[in-house]
Amino acid sequence: MKNVPELFGSMVFNDAVMQARLPKDIYKALKKTMQIGTHLELDVANVVANAMKDWAVEKGATHFTHWFQPMTGVTAEKHDSFISPSGDGKVIMEFSGKELVRGEPDASSFPSGGLRCTFEARGYTVWDTTSFAFIKDDSLYIPTAFCSYGGEALDKKTPLLRSMEAINKQALRILKLFGNKTAKNVSTTVGAEQEYFLIDKEVYLKRPDLIYTGRTLFGASPPKGQELDDHYFGAIKPRVAAFMKDFEEEMWKLGITAKTKHNEVAPAQHEFAPIFATTNIATDHNQLAMELLKIVAGRHGLVCLLHEKPFAGVNGSGKHNNWAISTDTGANLLEPGETPYENAQFLLFLVAVIKAVDEYQDLLRVSVANAGNDHRLGANEAPPAIVSMFLGDELTGILDAIESGAEYLGPDKKPMEIGVTVLPHFPKDTTDRNRTSPFAFTGNKFEFRMLGSTFSTAGANIALNTAVAEVLNEFADILESSLNFNADLAALVKKTIKAHKRIIFNGNNYAEEWVTEAEKRGLSNLRTTPDALPTFIAQKNIDLFTKHHVFTEPEINSRYEILMESYCKTIHIEALTMVDIVNEEIIPAAVNYQNDLAKLLERKKALGDFDCTMEERLLAKTSKLCTCLIKKLDTLEAAILKSGEDHDILAHAKFYRDEVFTAMNVLRLTADQLETCVSKKHWPLPSYGELLYSVS
Ligand code: ADP
Ligand code: MG
């Protein structure tokens, strides 16, 4: 048995280590920087760096790296050793404050969407003091933000930190109105539930589609998928259990509160969830978790698939972003309270989120848009591309009553008045029933369920924090000038419910009728990435981000371009991989199979009067499918060739969606039919059955 409390955070330069290793005044100065963002003086940074280095070297570290989150979707790192020549042919281990605080990686090969010319290739990484340094693979990792020479954000963390600051500022104004004098800081918290698949490495290596694209581009359905619901929460297989234990240990060492693990709905699908943390830290931790899932899987002869849709016909993988707003004094502002005032405050924050989600539903959709997630959101899988909110019957009933001016009789049968009455308690099970909702209130937090499994949680929370900050800003403007606070507050809550209740939907989000109903309500249904992304650069959204200093307009435009390009490139790579597999593997296999059949037929005929119906039929069927396959391959190849012609990025993306992607799906259909026809011995790709049931 491992000593978990001892193991936990053992590779993290956390508060306890800082207190133990830093002189008191230095510790205090650093804490101040961490808490209120004051400038860190170089002499302080020097002492901190030296203490970090000593600690890291004692733990076996030889290198350090600034660790950042560029727009590639994965993290980036460049390692330098601590060595410094001492003049006598030997070296000493050194690490300066300057090296700790700021790095200058060559940024020219990271996506910048035209923000940075290559002649100004320098980018800066700046230490995010609120996220602890840690040791991984004998390197000291410094979490950093990454920006260009001109100060434009080139990463996901910079705007995330800015959005946290925006909501902090506005939420504090609201708290002040409710007489809160103790809270100095408000931050959002996130707990990210992460889904993933595990398959055996040997079968993986025989699937070029998985290797190049992360998903299967071919594969006939296996006889058994997820229809028996026997995998969800089922007993964890020994090999998977060993992997999970190892993974958790790695998480704990890095101070990540790995808490929950279970099997998911699809065969070979699993989930991991930590205990929630402040949003930027939760984002760093989720990024590390995704990386370690892959690394630890490798140690167990497994491969972890993080793609949103590795297999057709069974569930894809998502990420649930549990989100709440908390004060530094420990109050969760989305928790219904005990006193009338707390409850009025809760209602105000609640309707602020409702308004924010309604007004910026397009931005939330943008924050979860990529080629992989289109397989889930836009298709017949959950959650749908329409953003709506689930509040549960009880809370919806309260809002309805407020809106209509009717008396809401709570469980205690007393009429409710905002600012005067206490809200009834919401038991968790009355608020957590609907698993189909993209954005569900779950008692004291919201669960945004549209994120794809590969996503950084940064994007969704940038959109959410900023949208809510904007509404709080508007509310604070109104209420700060109010002469009758209670009356104006009640009126504001009522007015907001009336204007935005269309976003509330407690029913089944997978039902066909919901699509029609949502359209009637005027909710947007942005099915695919090329539908969603243009709303990012809509004037109202540019206004939102620039007003709250989360993005500048050039930053938004650059991100729009990066996201569009990445969509096109993803499909392009998938299309090329398909062409390759058909030409190099599928057609030769079908040819060999037909050859065997033909030889048999010839031999039988030579031997005399045998019945050759079987061989003839199989030959005819396979041959017909091959002809069909070749035709469809031609169509796909023609589409790929034509894809180079568009210069407008949106037209380009739409071409990929409508022509290339469509041709891919049509080609796949025939290839999958061929798979069921050609013998297993001849078929080069491991089947869906072999992939999904590869781990015992
Ligand atoms: P489930 O969604 O499976 O029912 P839970 O509701 O218990 O599970 O929690 C899911 C995730 O929500 C966990 O990561 C948990 O830490 C996180 N969570 C709980 N409270 C908060 C909060 N106040 N802010 C953000 N995340 C939270
Ligand atoms: Mg959940």
Side-chain angles (χ1 to χ4, degrees), residues 528 530-531 567 571 652-662:
T528 66
D531 294 324
Y567 173 82
I571 297 182
H652 198 51
K654 284 186 173 161
F655 183 85
Y656 271 101
R657 180 192 63 190
D658 299 335
E659 304 296 328
V660 182
F661 185 65
T662 306

Side-chain angles (χ1 to χ4, degrees), residues 193 271 320 322 432 435 442 445 447 449:
E193 301 166 58
E271 181 178 301
H320 290 178
N322 294 273
D432 200 23
R435 310 302 293 180
T442 52
K445 62 183 174 6
E447 186 168 339
R449 300 189 176 127

Side-chain angles (χ1 to χ4, degrees), residues 563-618:
L563 293 169
M564 276 291 193
E565 262 176 27
S566 141
Y567 173 82
C568 299
K569 282 180 189 164
T570 303
I571 297 182
H572 191 78
I573 293 168
E574 289 180 349
L576 291 182
T577 307
M578 272 193 123
V579 171
D580 242 38
I581 292 177
V582 170
N583 280 328
E584 317 245 320
E585 307 215 36
I586 294 182
I587 291 176
V591 167
N592 284 340
Y593 178 61
Q594 290 175 80
N595 207 12
D596 282 0
L597 283 172
K599 273 194 219 148
L600 178 62
L601 189 62
E602 206 176 307
R603 238 185 293 154
K604 269 183 157 181
K605 279 190 174 156
L607 281 172
D609 196 18
F610 281 105
D611 180 357
C612 297
T613 322
M614 185 267 285
E615 291 79 2
E616 276 164 358
R617 279 217 193 141
L618 283 180

Side-chain angles (χ1 to χ4, degrees), residues 261-274:
K261 54 181 172 185
H262 61 82
N263 286 350
E264 260 301 328
V265 171
Q269 193 184 28
H270 313 278
E271 181 178 301
F272 143 80

